[in-house]
Amino acid sequence: MPALLQNEVHPYHQNKDMVEHIARVGTVMESWFPLGGKDSTMWGSDKNKETLFHDPVIAAIAKAHGKTPAQVILRWHLQEGYVAIPGSSREDHIRENFDIFDFELTPEEMAQFASLERNERFAGY
């Protein structure tokens, strides 16, 4: 059995059915597009990330914790049990992405993230 399955997962496309299916055999989900996209017109765009970063629920949770939207999204992935490897070539973003271990999302905030599910994929494959 594979130890890991890489699939598009972010707050608007949580892919819960697949996550539950692969968990039965001990496989974990790696979130492809964990922040909603990347700097590429082929596989998504910054527009997708901006969509998530400006979502009022995500923005409010970020403000409550004194974190950025990217940080609370990555924390959500971590608390959901996903493997999330955000890519960046900018040192400040890389440092920001690692600064998610000094807070936790509350059960209420996790429920707010769950409510964001739209089955909306950002990838164009």
Side-chain angles (χ1 to χ4, degrees):
M1 290 295 156
L4 179 133
L5 174 68
Q6 184 183 61
N7 209 339
E8 181 176 353
V9 177
H10 49 74
Y12 288 1
H13 185 68
Q14 297 181 22
N15 219 346
K16 292 291 187 180
D17 290 341
M18 180 62 72
V19 171
E20 291 172 14
H21 177 72
I22 65 174
R24 289 185 211 131
V25 294
T27 303
V28 298
M29 180 66 75
E30 178 184 348
S31 302
W32 184 54
F33 280 180
L35 298 175
K38 65 179 184 174
D39 301 330
S40 168
T41 56
M42 180 177 174
W43 295 111
S45 70
D46 278 342
K47 178 179 172 274
N48 298 334
K49 286 193 298 189
E50 294 303 314
T51 298
L52 292 177
F53 291 177
H54 290 104
D55 181 283
V57 170
I58 294 170
I61 293 171
K63 184 177 180 180
H65 289 278
K67 296 293 185 178
T68 66
Q71 289 171 314
V72 297
I73 292 169
L74 291 173
R75 185 67 205 189
W76 168 77
H77 282 282
L78 181 68
Q79 286 182 227
E80 282 291 327
Y82 305 144
V83 175
I85 306 173
S88 181
S89 59
R90 291 184 46 180
E91 184 177 342
D92 58 329
H93 285 172
I94 294 168
R95 290 183 188 280
E96 176 185 326
N97 292 342
F98 276 108
D99 190 22
I100 63 169
F101 298 101
D102 60 347
F103 74 103
E104 286 189 15
L105 301 174
T106 66
E108 293 80 15
E109 290 167 335
M110 292 297 287
Q112 289 176 328
F113 265 97
S115 75
L116 295 175
E117 171 60 69
R118 300 178 181 179
N119 198 28
E120 181 178 341
R121 296 176 68 176
F122 291 149
Y125 52 85

